[in-house]
Amino acid sequence: MIYMFGQDHKDLRRQIAPNFTPRALSTYTALQQIIILQHLKSWERLSSESPGKPISLRLLARDMNLETSQTVFVGRYLSREARDKFRDDYNLFNTGLMKLPFDLPGFAFRNARLAVERLVETLSDCATQSKKRMSEGDEPSCLIDFWMQETAREIAESKTAPPRSSDVEIGSYLFDFLFAAQDASTSSLLWAVTLLDSHPDVLRRVREEVSRIWSPESDALISAEQLREMKYTQAVAREVIRYRPPATLVPHIAMKDFPLTESYTIPKGTIVFPSVYESSFQGFTEADRFEPERFSEDRQEEVIFKRNYLAFGAGPHQCVGQRYALNHLVLFIAMFVTVLDFKRHRTEGCDEIMYCPTICPKDGCRVSLSRRCSRYPNLSLN
């Protein structure tokens, strides 16, 4: 998808639009909360088994995000066995990203390439199943269903399939979504925990806001309306992404001569590696401070310094799933700080940046956890 331009890219974005409507996002937030809670409970149990010994959240958060992505994107079409194989293949892919690109038997890059082929094949099969269900009039329950519902409608009306709607093509686009959602979200979750621990006043304000809006004892899912009411928590999420943008460098190709400064124009066809990380520390007021208030309705620095807030990209290729990603981060923060007490295990250099391939704290975010609420909520889709 990232290599598409012009009308083809516009048409594909139009086809994807039904995946991120308010109705679709509301479906996803319910699934996200149930999975987040399951993992928070397991993290707390793991921590309680070794009192005094902190646990690293990096791989735990990655596993949680992988289950979330699987469930939100293709939920009911993946069996437990398929999910296990999916996780193994994604780990092979992730490892291959960080290795030299030698496409030879036994090398990590070859293993990653073959894993991607298997992942796309699995996702293509999910598209086949979803397309059949949606053409029969079933209600959508995950992202692929919302996509295939619209595709099935177009096929029924025009008697021909829209461009780029073969199961294999859709499987490859779903893999793009998975890649975009997986490691970037893991990075943001880890930095959220890290930064909340080091900024107790911000943590206090988040807990106060969430407690006014949602209680674990209610046994109710956080609604879309309640999520919108969490203005300060949303500001914290945006500041986490600004302060520690997950993907620090994003390569581009100049499609035309681009005047970068008054004295230099980037020639058409040049490969450019803009630093999203450095951009996040330019323009903003006291940019080296972690300050969620900059995203308040009074200051609106994401609007004033829009050209510097590039974590989700810009222009025609701006991330289509940014609302989904922000919802996931806000829900995680709200639930994590409400149901758990946490203490970061600080060591020298623990907050230094490590690339894996997105950025995360060097120590993997090592914490001790305990239950904060009187009991865990009982959440379900019913």
Side-chain angles (χ1 to χ4, degrees):
M1 190 183 303
I2 62 175
Y3 299 114
M4 295 179 68
F5 299 95
Q7 192 59 46
D8 284 345
H9 183 247
K10 290 179 181 177
D11 290 343
L12 181 59
R13 298 268 299 201
R14 178 188 60 80
Q15 289 176 236
I16 291 170
N19 302 346
F20 300 105
T21 62
R23 178 184 170 216
L25 289 170
S26 180
T27 299
Y28 308 155
T29 58
L31 297 170
Q32 287 166 290
Q33 290 173 70
I34 291 171
I35 295 169
I36 288 171
L37 179 62
Q38 290 173 349
H39 283 263
L40 294 184
K41 290 162 69 175
S42 70
W43 297 358
E44 188 264 324
R45 284 195 302 271
L46 183 63
S47 183
S48 66
E49 290 171 0
S50 304
K53 184 179 180 180
I55 61 172
S56 171
L57 293 185
R58 185 170 78 85
L59 297 182
L60 295 174
R62 192 179 71 174
D63 286 346
M64 180 186 75
N65 279 338
L66 187 56
E67 183 177 353
T68 305
S69 299
Q70 290 173 341
T71 305
V72 168
F73 295 170
V74 292
R76 57 184 170 182
Y77 304 112
L78 280 181
S79 65
R80 173 47 58 187
E81 181 183 5
R83 286 173 181 264
D84 292 339
K85 291 181 179 178
F86 202 102
R87 183 181 65 247
D88 292 341
D89 279 336
Y90 191 85
N91 287 339
L92 289 172
F93 161 70
N94 215 32
T95 300
L97 280 178
M98 305 296 290
K99 303 298 182 181
L100 293 172
F102 296 143
D103 194 3
L104 298 170
F107 281 71
F109 184 84
R110 167 67 65 87
N111 293 337
R113 184 177 64 77
L114 296 177
V116 169
E117 291 178 4
R118 291 192 295 271
L119 289 167
V120 170
E121 183 179 354
T122 299
L123 294 170
S124 300
D125 181 62
C126 293
T128 303
Q129 296 179 60
S130 174
K131 195 178 293 182
K132 182 176 183 297
R133 281 181 179 268
M134 294 304 101
S135 64
E136 294 171 352
D138 277 12
E139 282 297 308
S141 63
C142 57
L143 182 145
I144 187 62
D145 283 348
F146 284 101
W147 192 346
M148 293 303 96
Q149 185 182 56
E150 183 64 18
T151 300
R153 184 190 63 78
E154 290 190 35
I155 293 174
E157 290 179 357
S158 64
K159 306 303 180 185
T160 58
R164 293 167 298 279
S165 63
S166 73
D167 295 341
V168 173
E169 287 176 298
I170 291 168
S172 67
Y173 298 142
L174 281 171
F175 180 77
D176 286 350
F177 287 174
L178 180 75
F179 178 50
Q182 179 62 30
D183 294 299
S185 284
T186 298
S187 170
S188 295
L189 301 189
L190 297 176
W191 286 114
V193 174
T194 299
L195 292 165
L196 287 169
D197 178 80
S198 59
H199 295 80
D201 188 56
V202 175
L203 173 60
R204 176 186 57 79
R205 288 188 60 182
V206 169
R207 280 177 166 158
E208 288 176 354
E209 178 180 73
V210 175
S211 66
R212 290 195 303 269
I213 298 169
W214 176 76
S215 168
E217 286 76 15
S218 68
D219 289 334
L221 292 162
I222 299 172
S223 67
E225 182 178 346
Q226 288 174 316
L227 198 59
R228 287 192 294 270
E229 290 177 26
M230 297 180 184
K231 301 291 188 183
Y232 185 73
T233 308
Q234 289 192 33
V236 170
R238 290 182 179 276
E239 178 69 342
V240 167
I241 292 170
R242 181 201 71 85
Y243 193 77
R244 289 292 182 264
T248 56
L249 288 172
V250 182
H252 287 67
I253 297 177
M255 301 300 290
K256 58 183 180 181
D257 290 350
F258 183 83
L260 184 65
T261 68
E262 292 181 0
S263 59
Y264 181 73
T265 296
I266 299 174
K268 178 182 177 180
T270 303
I271 298 176
V272 185
F273 284 82
S275 174
V276 175
Y277 186 89
E278 292 299 328
S279 179
S280 294
F281 289 88
Q282 296 174 8
F284 293 95
T285 306
E286 295 186 272
D288 59 342
R289 286 169 53 92
F290 180 75
E291 190 175 355
E293 291 79 6
R294 72 177 74 252
F295 292 103
S296 65
E297 292 181 353
D298 292 334
R299 291 173 58 176
Q300 296 187 32
E301 291 195 15
E302 78 277 17
V303 177
I304 299 171
F305 305 111
K306 183 178 180 179
R307 64 176 295 164
N308 298 103
Y309 193 59
L310 299 176
F312 291 109
H317 279 263
Q318 190 173 46
C319 176
V320 293
Q322 62 177 291
R323 186 67 262 171
Y324 166 79
L326 282 167
N327 282 351
H328 187 59
L329 183 53
V330 174
L331 287 168
F332 173 82
I333 292 173
M335 298 179 73
F336 183 83
V337 304
T338 301
V339 305
L340 295 178
D341 276 318
F342 63 101
K343 181 175 178 58
R344 183 91 188 284
H345 181 70
R346 295 196 165 274
T347 56
E348 185 177 354
C350 65
D351 288 347
E352 293 178 8
I353 291 174
M354 178 173 69
Y355 294 83
C356 54
T358 52
I359 61 172
C360 71
K362 188 175 181 179
D363 71 337
C365 193
R366 298 174 68 207
V367 296
S368 295
L369 303 172
S370 60
R371 194 178 72 192
R372 176 180 176 84
C373 52
S374 60
R375 63 175 177 82
Y376 287 117
N378 182 21
L379 303 180
S380 70
L381 295 176
N382 299 323

